[in-house]
Amino acid sequence: MPTIVLSGVNLVSGGTLKILQDCAETVRQKLPDWRVVAIVNNADVINTPMVETICLPEAKKSWLKRIYTEYFGMKKLSKQLNADIWLSMHDLSPVVSAGSQFVYCHHPDCFYRFSIKEIYSEPKLLIFSAVYSLFYRINIHANRAVIVQQQWLRQEFEKRYGVRNVVVAHPVPETFPLSSPPASPLNTFVYPSLPRGFKNFELIGEAALLLDREPSWRGEIIWTIDPGESRLTRQLYKSYGASRSIKFVGLQDRAAMNKLYEKMDCLLFPSRLETWGLPISETKSLGKPMIVADLPYAHETVGSYDKVQFVNSADPRQLADIMLEKHLNGWSSVSVQADAIPGPFADNWPELVDMIVSIHEKRNRSISAGTTIPLQSYKHQQ
């Protein structure tokens, strides 16, 4: 029985954990005759039947332990598992013994220029960015393919690390449900995000202060952060906590977040930096409206859709005007169409799993035959 290993010891919450969970579920569905093993921090994070879990909680306790686990500990474990495919789901390319090795890269921080204000709010960001830039580089050429979520990230990886075997894979379901008509008027606006400087909460905060002055505004803006959890959230609460529009609800688990999506009339997503922006896809799957940053990542994530409004990520007046107009008059927008993504490209999880297996099998055949197959030949066939 062939074996595929999904390594995700560093994934414990948020969008990155959901990506691991979605990947595990799709692999189990697509490869019923394979042994599927997930290496995780906590066995409770994987609920898919017939997926074995190996728990390495020590790996999450410090960067030193994480580094030791990835570059030393995984080697011994990989020999025991005798994996045909090893997919590292959390950025680093471990030293392993496997038929084919792949890495899935989430974090775009090292490709972003942080402002002085962002560094002051979260001084660890600069260190984190530098560390990730280094560890992305280590052992990256051991992978049969590097998987990223967007075309602009592929270009950055090719430029900075000299890799050419980069797959763009959109982390979304195979299909979306039919769109439902948006609520009219729009009353509840939600920004589901962890507190990070580049998430651009200030844009919404300044827009909220402008909206508070409007007698006709009765809307509610929900932030999934807690006022006391970090220096940034304390600053945000000091600046915007008195707004009659903003409600701090804290981090939501998956069940609570699903209820919040049901309640939501419109998504706000003004982040300046994302590898994807999973709330955009989740909102699109519900057929609900969204107001998102007018930035390349957001355009790629939105794709083709008819309930989206793009906003300047540095213009709170524009955001306030859009929100007030939608609040009073309901939703109306012009449909946008997605640009084509060059191959190798997977539009969803099933296509990505097919591509990974195809790369593994074709490359092994080419090695046996003494030939080389370029990665472009692995482009998923529609």
Side-chain angles (χ1 to χ4, degrees), residues 350-380:
E351 287 187 14
L352 178 59
V353 173
D354 285 344
M355 185 179 291
I356 287 172
V357 174
S358 177
I359 291 173
H360 168 69
E361 293 177 346
K362 290 182 180 179
R363 183 62 65 90
N364 284 352
R365 287 197 296 269
S366 73
I367 291 173
S368 299
T371 59
T372 301
I373 298 177
L375 186 65
Q376 291 295 329
S377 68
Y378 303 125
K379 182 178 179 180
H380 183 83

Side-chain angles (χ1 to χ4, degrees), residues 140-324:
I140 194 170
H141 293 282
N143 297 292
R144 294 279 170 88
V146 176
I147 303 164
V148 299
Q149 294 174 340
Q150 294 202 332
Q151 173 65 11
W152 75 269
L153 265 177
R154 168 158 50 197
Q155 294 167 347
E156 292 290 348
F157 270 83
E158 290 175 344
K159 181 169 61 176
R160 181 171 297 191
Y161 304 118
V163 290
R164 294 292 177 264
N165 53 334
V166 185
V167 171
V168 174
H170 289 173
V172 295
E174 188 167 13
T175 59
F176 286 107
L178 293 174
S179 294
S180 59
S184 180
L186 276 60
N187 297 313
T188 304
F189 298 77
V190 177
Y191 186 20
S193 176
L194 295 173
R196 300 289 184 268
F198 55 82
K199 294 292 187 175
N200 205 11
F201 281 92
E202 294 84 357
L203 179 77
I204 300 175
E206 293 300 317
L209 296 181
L210 294 171
L211 288 167
D212 286 345
R213 303 172 192 169
E214 298 288 343
S216 57
W217 167 256
R218 295 290 185 273
E220 175 185 48
I221 301 169
I222 297 176
W223 285 353
T224 58
I225 58 175
D226 186 278
E229 65 182 294
S230 68
R231 178 190 292 183
L232 175 61
T233 59
R234 288 191 291 272
Q235 291 174 345
L236 290 170
Y237 188 74
K238 181 179 179 180
S239 299
Y240 310 114
S243 169
R244 66 181 173 90
S245 302
I246 297 176
K247 182 179 180 181
F248 293 74
V249 299
L251 181 66
Q252 306 289 290
D253 62 23
R254 176 48 51 183
M257 195 63 238
N258 288 339
K259 290 182 180 178
L260 194 54
Y261 277 135
E262 291 177 11
K263 175 183 177 181
M264 174 183 76
D265 294 326
C266 181
L267 174 77
L268 298 177
F269 207 83
S271 177
R272 291 186 289 265
L273 178 69
E274 298 289 329
T275 50
W276 184 251
L278 200 57
I280 294 175
S281 292
E282 292 173 330
T283 300
K284 184 177 175 182
S285 73
L286 298 171
K288 293 194 173 187
M290 62 181 84
I291 302 171
V292 301
D294 190 8
L295 293 171
Y297 85 82
H299 282 271
E300 186 169 340
T301 305
V302 169
S304 300
Y305 197 51
D306 63 349
K307 299 182 184 69
V308 60
Q309 183 95 37
F310 294 98
V311 63
N312 186 327
S313 60
D315 189 346
R317 177 76 267 175
Q318 183 190 24
L319 176 58
D321 289 345
I322 293 172
M323 292 175 67
L324 182 61

Side-chain angles (χ1 to χ4, degrees), residues 34-84:
W34 286 53
R35 179 190 181 197
V36 183
V37 181
I39 305 176
V40 293
N41 180 270
N42 181 343
D44 292 338
V45 303
I46 299 294
N47 298 316
T48 302
M50 302 300 292
V51 174
E52 302 174 35
T53 56
I54 297 174
C55 297
L56 301 178
E58 292 294 318
K60 181 67 175 173
K61 291 185 176 180
S62 72
W63 261 103
L64 287 177
K65 291 182 178 180
R66 168 88 187 279
I67 291 166
Y68 179 83
T69 299
E70 296 288 357
Y71 300 123
F72 299 96
M74 290 298 188
K75 180 73 170 180
K76 179 180 179 180
L77 183 57
S78 68
K79 289 181 178 179
Q80 295 171 354
L81 293 172
N82 192 29
D84 296 86

